[in-house]
Amino acid sequence: MNVMFGTEIILSGDSIDAGDQALFIMNHRTRLDWNFLWGCMFHASRPSAHRLKMVLKSPIRHAPGPGWVMQIAGFLYIERNWDSDQQAMTEQLDYFHDIQHPVQLLIFPEGTDLSQSNIEKSDKFADSRGLSHYTKVLHPKTTGFTFLTRQLSQSNQLNAVYDITVGYLGTIPQSEMDAVHGKFPSQAHFHIKKYSTDSLPVSDTDAMKAWLNQIWAEKEAHLNRFYDKGYFDGGKESRSKQPISNALYMALIFWTALQILLILGLFYSSFIRWLVFISSTIMLVLSFTSRGVQHLEVQWYRYMKSRRHV
């Protein structure tokens, strides 16, 4: 985004310890937040490396290309059926624990982006609970968040919870079609706050629900001030405009060259055409006949583990 479309990534608050096993929570301003988040993670992590995976809606895994890659990378997909989702997430987190894979996991507690229709649904929920109406965020869903904090902490997979607040200046692309039409913000601001697990009541579900709701109330106020001032609290001097590093240029050159070679291969190589056809067919079949490659990987591991104990 920074190199190709000129969107400046501006950070404030805490840096991200790349070695942390952590749960990340963030407001979901647009359907494209995750595109800008990669820039935040690259610049905010110390060192500039991370292992972030996301909890996403299941239909996203069907998207040719990105959805398939995220399956292979072990992202967690949910079906909005809590019994099924809870079991799938438990199995996948247990798998990460067994293979000693450090977890960095992002969840959008709002569950969806900040569109007008979703604001209206959030307002109805607020009315039914006697809560305030929000305009910059939606009321968060607490079930998945409290489950993840409890599950990760019980298995010693949680060192910290990072609260990320994102705000955009200039054009705000709400959907993928906005991106297709070249609508990108001039700046994407990320304010990061780190909470160590020692400071959180991770074993108390009700207390964690209350904590998340309080964080979201503060986030609403924080964003209102952001859009008034044009920067997050802490003063302009606390902002860190991220330069375009050589690594980003190298990444752009590499992936552009790879795409060009792939396109040329499709035109001139029958081997490449067959390879793309077969791999795409396999991914399509697996996506629509199972919960995805990541789920099959976990099930295969569980099967082999059970065989070793027979």
Side-chain angles (χ1 to χ4, degrees):
M1 294 296 176
N2 199 347
V3 175
M4 295 185 65
F5 304 109
T7 299
E8 297 176 355
I9 303 297
I10 297 180
L11 306 177
S12 59
D14 298 325
S15 60
I16 296 171
D17 185 340
D20 273 342
Q21 296 194 88
L23 182 65
F24 292 78
I25 54 176
M26 192 173 91
N27 60 304
H28 203 351
R29 177 60 186 85
T30 86
R31 289 164 58 98
L32 300 178
D33 287 329
W34 60 278
N35 291 275
F36 301 99
L37 177 63
W38 296 125
C40 166
M41 294 298 297
F42 176 82
H43 291 296
S45 296
R46 299 291 182 271
S48 295
H50 62 85
R51 298 175 297 275
L52 188 68
K53 304 180 190 299
M54 300 182 186
V55 180
L56 300 170
K57 297 176 184 177
S58 185
I60 295 175
R61 65 187 168 89
H62 300 309
W68 300 346
V69 169
M70 289 187 285
Q71 286 184 49
I72 295 169
F75 283 42
L76 281 68
Y77 290 96
I78 56 175
E79 306 276 358
R80 297 298 179 89
N81 179 316
W82 179 238
D83 290 338
S84 174
D85 291 338
Q86 183 177 11
Q87 179 180 349
M89 287 193 291
T90 298
E91 291 176 353
Q92 194 158 348
L93 294 176
D94 287 346
Y95 170 61
F96 291 150
H97 178 268
D98 286 354
I99 65 173
Q100 299 182 347
H101 178 75
V103 174
Q104 291 185 339
L105 190 62
L106 171 77
I107 183 173
F108 294 105
E110 293 157 302
T112 190
D113 62 304
L114 189 74
S115 66
Q116 185 56 45
S117 61
N118 288 329
I119 291 175
E120 292 171 0
K121 293 176 184 176
S122 180
D123 288 346
K124 289 181 180 178
F125 172 82
D127 290 339
S128 69
R129 299 293 196 279
L131 303 173
S132 300
H133 286 193
Y134 291 156
T135 60
K136 299 298 186 293
V137 296
L138 307 175
H139 281 277
K141 298 176 174 64
T142 58
T143 302
F145 169 75
T146 55
F147 166 77
L148 288 171
T149 53
R150 184 176 63 254
Q151 185 76 16
L152 291 170
S153 62
Q154 287 176 350
S155 57
N156 295 316
Q157 293 173 279
L158 189 66
N159 304 126
V161 174
Y162 285 89
D163 171 34
I164 301 178
T165 304
V166 61
Y168 302 101
L169 296 183
T171 301
I172 299 179
Q174 193 64 37
S175 68
E176 293 80 2
M177 288 307 299
D178 287 334
V180 170
H181 290 106
K183 297 179 180 179
F184 292 93
S186 57
Q187 295 179 341
H189 290 242
F190 293 88
H191 185 76
I192 304 166
K193 175 66 175 177
K194 178 180 179 179
Y195 297 88
S196 68
T197 51
D198 293 338
S199 68
L200 298 174
V202 291
S203 61
D204 187 331
T205 298
D206 289 336
M208 286 305 294
K209 287 181 179 179
W211 180 84
L212 182 65
N213 283 319
Q214 179 60 35
I215 289 293
W216 243 250
E218 294 172 1
K219 199 181 290 286
E220 168 77 6
H222 205 186
L223 283 164
N224 276 314
R225 292 191 294 271
F226 167 79
Y227 285 109
D228 285 340
K229 299 177 180 179
Y231 55 89
F232 281 118
D233 288 346
K236 291 185 177 180
E237 66 276 4
S238 72
R239 300 185 304 161
S240 176
K241 178 180 176 181
Q242 303 306 309
I244 301 176
S245 68
N246 290 334
L248 292 178
Y249 284 117
M250 291 297 293
L252 177 62
I253 292 170
F254 172 80
W255 289 109
T256 301
L258 186 63
Q259 294 297 319
I260 292 173
L261 289 174
L262 178 60
I263 292 171
L264 290 174
L266 289 172
F267 276 103
Y268 297 108
S269 171
S270 59
F271 172 76
I272 296 295
R273 286 195 294 271
W274 275 108
L275 180 63
V276 170
F277 173 76
I278 293 171
S279 58
S280 297
T281 301
I282 291 172
M283 290 304 302
L284 281 170
V285 170
L286 292 179
S287 291
F288 285 98
T289 60
S290 71
R291 291 189 67 133
V293 173
Q294 81 291 344
H295 183 67
L296 293 176
E297 180 181 348
V298 172
Q299 295 307 309
W300 177 252
Y301 170 80
R302 287 167 58 84
Y303 169 73
M304 295 303 295
K305 183 179 179 180
S306 66
R307 288 285 301 273
R308 289 196 297 269
H309 290 87
V310 173

